[in-house]
Amino acid sequence: MERFYDYFRPKHYAISIDISADKTRFDAVTIITGRVKAKTIKLHAVKLRIKEIVVDGKVVDYIRKDGQIILSKMPIDKTVRIEARYSAPITADMQGVYLSTYQDGDKTEQIVATQFESHYARECFPCVDEPVAKATFDLMVSSAKPTDMILANMPAKSETLDEDKKTVVFERTPKMSTYLLAFAVGNFIGCQVKSKHGVQITAYAGIHQKVEDLEYPAQFAADVLDFYDDCFNVPFPLPKMDLLALPDFESGAMENWGLVTFREIAMLANEGSAFDQKQYVAIVIAHELSHMWFGDLVTMKWWDDLWLNESFANMMESYATDKIRPELAAWDDFYTTAILGAYSRDCLPGVQPVKVDVKHVEDIANLFDSAIVYGKGSRLLFMLMRTMGEENFFKGLKDYFEKHKYGSTEADDLWKALSPYAEFDVKEFMTPWLTQPGYPVITDGKQERFLITGEHSDEKYPLGDIKDDLTGDYLINLSDAEYAKKLSRLASLDKEQKMRLLIDRRLLAKTDRVASVSLLPLLESFAEETDSVIWELLSSIIADLKIFFTPSSKEEKAFKKYILKLALPNYRRLGIVPRKNDTDNDIKLRPIIMGMMHYSEDEDYLDAIDEEYRHIFIAKVDQDIRYIVACSLVRIHPELSMQYFGLYQTTPDSALKRDLMDALTGVKNTAIALSYLDRLKDGSVRPQDRLIFYMRLLRNHLIREDALKWVYDNWSWLYEEEGDKTIFEYPRFMAAFIRTSVDAEAFKEFFAQHENEKILARDIAVAYAEIDARLRLIKSDKDKIYEYFK
Ligand SMILES: [Zn+2]
């Protein structure tokens, strides 16, 4: 495979960017010094309109093709200075150098921001855009709007102000990969704190946000940065750390060294925010800041080890948050999100392993199965940490950072660093887990890969001791006698043992190993349980059981009554109004229980909600229960849905936006719900929210078929809008909501024409298997479930 790094090794970039007054384009000069390794060298350059290229003072000819600049007759083993003059467009596609626009009252504000991972630095400057090609960077950015603030990875060295231009020159970066460079230009509010170890931390957001939502992220970032200093034994090397929330952002957040960028919902919170929101923000910040070491200081050589970055950050986010703010119960989130998500996807045939070959950087988009690369990978590292022991694990990591700082590594380098502290061969243990898809189910001490299709497959996985906590990446298929025994002593099990039991039964029930109907007595045996994380798992089992019921059928009504009965003990205890003496667990559990009451459509519950909350402005409702209150109010008064949509569009408050989105899409009025499908196209839903908004609409069974059809009818438009980075999420989500053979056939008929498209092939194949398995399960298990309710 061709690597440009083999031809040319950049040492230093000097980049100056001059942004136009209307922020639609920039002019730039990039000077690269580096060592020539071949006669013909290549640079990445996409969307750049090159005016001139000068090598060592002489204007040279060059070939421009396929996003490359090709220079020939270069002096091998000499250091050269390549100067490129060019201009480039700034578009709103949330990659490269892009424009984010928002309303502040009736004023329109613009922010120019960057997103270079994985291969979009080349849309800003000619470069060897490969992670191993580390260099130092001098950056200078000018804006034709002198009131703009300009941020980048490093602190400003100098700032000059003409009457029509502001220019900021930044200090030189340490040696780093191109995909980590970043800058942002706009009008920001900020909140500054200093970490105990002396790093200046500033949290920034657009001027439509509130300063009080910046204190919490800034303080948590300071604490977590100090924590990692000690944990990894290499102090954070930059003098400052900025966090910036952007109104338009493709993913959740991005670990640019010294200037981490976020979606607003992933960064903004205050002590009065919902528990979930505080937990989420802390976890995202802990994730991104762990990348300052794992990813930024030490970087994977090539993208096939991307899992190393992401799996690691995904484990550290819980580890660090738990140490700094134990009350946020970060491991609970790890168990219910990362572990459950990974298990649920990794049991489908055709799913990818954690580590995959990446031949072309463009492949990364569809290799980015987050349930696997983030979720499963972090789960495997968690297994390794538990098996080695925490102390040993971090001893190895300290060695790893000391040895490889500012360098590039492969998985083997990590295994080598950890090995001296393990009593087993780390590489031998980890490699089969990482390179094979799936995980085993253990029956009578024997393992077999667990697949929900019931197929047999030959993979074998290294197993240590089988434990009934959450250490190992396997399911335990108890015999009838063992299962009965476990249930009989439920009260004596600890939290992890209970979770293990619920996760195992939930997944095994997707196959003929365990009958779905047996989940019902299992749920009942937990009715007196009060731990919120256990209830999250119980809820996920309930959600699975919903597939067996036709909306509004008498069977569904019976099931709803059943759910009501399950929820009542905790509902009576917690009610619908938060109390001063609530424990953290009460705070987390109440919305889960209210969600079950909402699903059961219990009239007393709905009346109580109406009476208590009908006359309170929804933004003012206690944030821990706000989304479920909004959902229930929309259930009672469908016309509120439209009002919420108006508020969704205008409020700058991203947490409120999310709650409203949940509620308004669930409206039980077909015409209103259908109107939102049109809204997806007319610009009233922000592009960054489109996928999540669509998924919420799919949940609404009144319009589910229309929502599925909407994708078939609008495919070309959707593909154009979403691009390769997110389009495959659509078949993924759609497959999760298909429960009838009519919907299944329409899905297959439509996607048959896309089965061979590289970006979609894997997801379509996995989706077919998932849908077929679900339809088979409904057919085989539904009668017994209906009987149970008779
Ligand atoms: Zn990450």
Side-chain angles (χ1 to χ4, degrees):
M1 181 191 356
E2 186 179 41
R3 297 283 169 79
F4 293 5
Y5 186 63
D6 293 338
Y7 314 142
F8 181 56
R9 312 234 155 139
K11 258 190 126 62
H12 180 70
Y13 292 83
I15 304 167
S16 56
I17 307 267
D18 194 348
I19 292 165
S20 69
D22 61 1
K23 294 196 165 67
T24 59
R25 55 186 284 281
F26 63 88
D27 291 305
V29 181
T30 292
I31 300 165
I32 318 170
T33 21
R35 198 138 180 103
V36 174
K37 304 301 276 181
K39 239 185 158 131
T40 300
I41 70 164
K42 297 181 177 184
L43 297 171
H44 293 104
V46 170
K47 294 186 190 169
L48 309 183
R49 287 189 286 265
I50 306 289
K51 292 169 191 156
E52 187 177 65
I53 293 190
V54 180
V55 176
D56 286 340
K58 282 193 213 92
V59 176
V60 297
D61 291 331
Y62 57 90
I63 299 169
R64 189 92 172 89
K65 74 166 202 218
D66 303 334
Q68 304 173 6
I69 297 170
I70 303 168
L71 298 168
S72 45
K73 294 186 202 149
M74 298 294 283
I76 294 183
D77 279 332
K78 292 263 154 44
T79 296
V80 293
R81 181 184 186 277
I82 305 171
E83 180 172 341
R85 299 181 169 276
Y86 56 98
S87 67
I90 300 174
T91 55
D93 59 1
M94 296 186 273
Q95 69 182 43
V97 183
Y98 73 93
L99 185 65
S100 172
T101 310
Y102 66 91
Q103 290 299 121
D104 180 47
D106 46 19
K107 253 179 50 229
T108 303
E109 285 285 326
Q110 291 178 310
I111 296 172
V112 173
T114 59
Q115 168 62 40
F116 291 167
E117 193 181 14
S118 48
H119 56 296
Y120 308 111
R122 63 191 70 175
E123 296 182 11
C124 179
F125 56 100
C127 53
V128 175
D129 203 4
E130 294 166 358
V132 72
K134 288 191 172 188
T136 50
F137 295 82
D138 283 337
L139 181 68
M140 177 171 105
V141 181
S142 302
S143 168
K145 202 173 147 209
T147 51
D148 274 340
M149 204 181 249
I150 305 177
L151 307 172
N153 305 75
M154 299 298 288
K157 192 160 79 179
S158 71
E159 193 175 302
T160 47
L161 203 58
D162 298 340
E163 68 186 66
D164 57 355
K165 197 187 234 183
K166 179 187 242 177
T167 301
V168 178
V169 177
F170 294 94
E171 283 175 25
R172 182 165 296 184
T173 71
K175 216 174 137 193
M176 66 180 207
S177 304
T178 45
Y179 79 92
L180 293 169
L181 196 75
F183 60 86
V185 181
N187 219 341
F188 307 117
I189 53 167
C191 168
Q192 207 164 63
V193 300
K194 198 158 202 150
S195 79
K196 289 201 186 86
H197 296 184
V199 180
Q200 193 77 56
I201 318 265
T202 317
Y204 292 101
I207 55 170
H208 60 320
Q209 297 298 347
K210 300 183 302 239
V211 179
E212 57 260 40
D213 279 338
L214 297 174
E215 284 161 26
Y216 177 84
Q219 190 53 54
F220 187 79
D223 296 343
V224 83
L225 217 54
D226 286 346
F227 175 78
Y228 287 144
D229 273 357
D230 299 335
C231 205
F232 301 140
N233 222 19
V234 176
F236 180 66
L238 308 185
K240 65 94 179 170
M241 176 75 233
D242 293 340
L243 293 80
L244 170 62
L246 291 165
D248 297 287
F249 200 80
E250 176 92 52
S251 59
M254 172 64 209
E255 67 265 25
N256 314 300
W257 215 357
L259 173 58
V260 179
T261 45
F262 298 77
R263 198 175 261 243
E264 288 174 337
I265 187 85
M267 193 187 114
L268 304 177
N270 58 65
E271 293 293 347
S273 297
F275 185 94
D276 280 353
Q277 179 62 13
K278 284 186 286 189
Q279 185 197 53
Y280 175 55
V281 164
I283 283 175
V284 177
I285 292 173
H287 177 111
E288 298 308 327
L289 296 197
S290 79
H291 278 314
M292 299 299 110
W293 285 262
F294 235 97
D296 297 4
L297 181 68
V298 181
T299 313
M300 73 248 143
K301 279 197 176 126
W302 181 242
W303 297 104
D304 54 353
D305 278 319
L306 175 68
W307 69 271
L308 195 57
N309 270 6
E310 295 307 347
S311 306
F312 200 84
N314 224 56
M315 187 187 79
M316 287 312 294
E317 67 185 31
S318 300
Y319 184 86
T321 305
D322 180 63
K323 296 280 190 220
I324 298 164
R325 301 264 316 236
E327 72 279 13
L328 291 178
W331 284 118
D332 285 357
D333 174 75
F334 183 74
Y335 299 142
T336 54
T337 310
I339 291 193
L340 211 56
Y343 273 145
S344 303
R345 186 138 178 100
D346 207 18
C347 60
L348 298 166
V351 73
Q352 66 165 86
V354 173
K355 185 178 160 85
V356 242
D357 279 352
V358 183
K359 295 263 186 311
H360 304 282
V361 72
E362 294 79 7
D363 291 348
I364 289 175
N366 67 331
L367 291 177
F368 227 67
D369 190 332
S370 58
I372 302 300
V373 175
Y374 289 71
K376 182 186 181 182
S378 62
R379 199 216 172 326
L380 295 176
L381 288 176
F382 174 77
M383 174 165 70
L384 178 62
M385 178 176 79
R386 276 232 173 142
T387 314
M388 285 179 66
E390 224 175 278
E391 208 177 304
N392 288 327
F393 184 78
F394 282 97
K395 274 184 194 159
L397 276 184
K398 283 175 182 164
D399 292 355
Y400 175 79
F401 286 115
E402 188 51 46
K403 180 161 183 207
H404 298 288
K405 55 188 174 189
Y406 305 105
S408 308
T409 57
E410 301 168 313
D412 277 1
D413 296 310
L414 180 63
W415 308 149
K416 258 183 221 146
L418 294 173
S419 274
Y421 303 100
E423 283 164 3
F424 53 94
D425 187 325
V426 176
K427 183 180 175 181
E428 205 171 276
F429 179 70
M430 290 301 282
T431 306
W433 285 108
L434 293 161
T435 53
Q436 298 182 118
Y439 56 93
V441 49
I442 316 282
T443 313
D444 288 337
K446 282 197 277 301
Q447 63 160 298
E448 183 182 3
R449 179 173 170 195
F450 179 69
L451 287 165
I452 59 162
T453 49
E455 290 165 55
H456 296 283
S457 192
D458 290 334
E459 288 87 356
K460 289 282 175 269
Y461 307 86
L463 296 172
D465 299 336
I466 307 295
K467 288 193 186 143
D468 70 348
D469 60 13
L470 291 171
T471 302
D473 199 27
Y474 41 72
L475 304 182
I476 304 171
N477 185 17
L478 299 172
S479 67
D480 291 349
E482 288 168 323
Y483 178 60
K485 197 172 149 203
K486 206 145 229 182
L487 273 191
S488 71
R489 49 182 209 92
L490 208 52
S492 68
L493 301 184
D494 67 24
K495 187 159 98 173
E496 282 198 31
Q497 288 174 311
K498 287 180 186 169
M499 294 177 85
R500 171 89 272 162
L501 178 69
L502 289 169
I503 290 172
D504 289 350
R505 298 303 285 191
R506 176 186 174 221
L507 285 152
L508 291 167
K510 291 180 193 282
T511 68
D512 56 13
R513 287 183 168 92
V514 163
S516 298
V517 71
S518 73
L519 295 174
L520 295 165
L522 179 65
L523 288 174
E524 288 155 36
S525 60
F526 279 91
E528 304 293 325
E529 174 68 51
T530 54
D531 191 320
S532 64
V533 71
I534 301 295
W535 274 99
E536 265 186 56
L537 290 177
L538 297 171
S539 290
S540 74
I541 290 176
I542 292 166
D544 279 357
L545 286 167
K546 289 178 188 170
I547 63 167
F548 294 106
F549 302 99
T550 311
S552 308
S553 62
K554 68 173 194 304
E555 290 86 6
E556 195 200 41
K557 285 191 182 115
F559 182 59
K560 289 191 170 189
K561 274 209 182 106
Y562 173 86
I563 299 302
L564 171 68
K565 226 175 112 196
L566 274 185
L568 273 178
N570 278 302
Y571 178 64
R572 293 205 176 105
R573 192 168 66 80
L574 296 169
I576 58 165
V577 182
R579 292 179 293 232
K580 269 216 177 75
N581 59 352
D582 278 335
T583 62
D584 285 346
N585 186 63
D586 293 340
I587 290 169
K588 286 182 284 177
L589 183 57
R590 184 177 289 110
I592 299 174
I593 297 297
M594 285 172 67
M596 291 171 66
M597 297 301 290
H598 171 83
Y599 174 73
S600 76
E601 296 182 279
D602 177 60
E603 275 183 28
D604 291 342
Y605 162 78
L606 290 173
D607 287 348
I609 290 282
D610 201 27
E611 191 168 318
E612 184 71 35
Y613 294 109
R614 177 70 180 98
H615 300 290
I616 301 177
F617 178 44
I618 194 66
K620 299 272 182 223
V621 172
D622 182 278
Q623 293 182 39
D624 285 301
I625 54 165
R626 186 171 61 193
Y627 82 91
I628 192 66
V629 167
C631 286
S632 297
L633 285 173
V634 166
R635 176 70 53 88
I636 307 162
H637 308 285
E639 69 281 4
L640 270 180
S641 173
M642 314 282 272
Q643 192 184 315
Y644 286 178
F645 189 75
L647 187 55
Y648 160 80
Q649 284 181 288
T650 51
T651 180
D653 180 340
S654 53
L656 179 61
K657 265 186 204 288
R658 178 198 47 206
D659 293 350
L660 292 168
M661 206 170 4
D662 273 348
L664 68 95
T665 48
V667 63
K668 293 290 174 250
N669 173 309
T670 309
I672 299 177
L674 278 177
S675 74
Y676 296 135
L677 281 173
D678 299 328
R679 298 292 202 141
L680 289 174
K681 267 186 93 171
D682 71 5
S684 34
V685 174
R686 280 187 108 80
Q688 68 162 13
D689 289 344
R690 188 188 299 119
L691 178 68
I692 190 104
F693 202 101
Y694 173 71
M695 193 184 72
R696 296 278 183 278
L697 286 172
L698 267 179
R699 289 205 301 207
N700 189 333
H701 70 82
L702 285 181
I703 60 151
R704 185 168 298 146
E705 279 187 29
D706 301 273
L708 292 166
K709 190 168 172 294
W710 181 84
V711 166
Y712 311 145
D713 291 346
N714 293 286
W715 182 258
S716 320
W717 174 84
L718 194 61
Y719 204 154
E720 178 78 30
E721 286 286 310
E722 297 284 347
D724 287 352
K725 275 179 300 174
T726 35
I727 190 67
F728 53 86
E729 302 275 10
Y730 282 85
R732 253 182 225 182
F733 279 130
M734 293 160 80
F737 287 96
I738 288 177
R739 292 164 191 185
T740 67
S741 51
V742 175
D743 288 350
E745 269 162 42
F747 182 90
K748 287 181 187 174
E749 197 185 309
F750 178 78
F751 282 107
Q753 50 187 319
H754 301 286
E755 277 165 18
N756 297 322
E757 290 169 27
K758 208 166 125 209
I759 227 72
L760 292 162
R762 190 196 294 272
D763 279 293
I764 293 175
V766 174
Y768 288 172
E770 182 186 356
I771 292 169
D772 289 347
R774 188 178 306 116
L775 294 187
R776 266 198 310 275
L777 184 68
I778 293 174
K779 207 167 156 204
S780 65
D781 283 20
K782 112 181 143 191
D783 289 345
K784 287 242 168 65
I785 290 184
Y786 292 177
E787 249 167 58
Y788 190 86
F789 291 120
K790 268 186 188 152

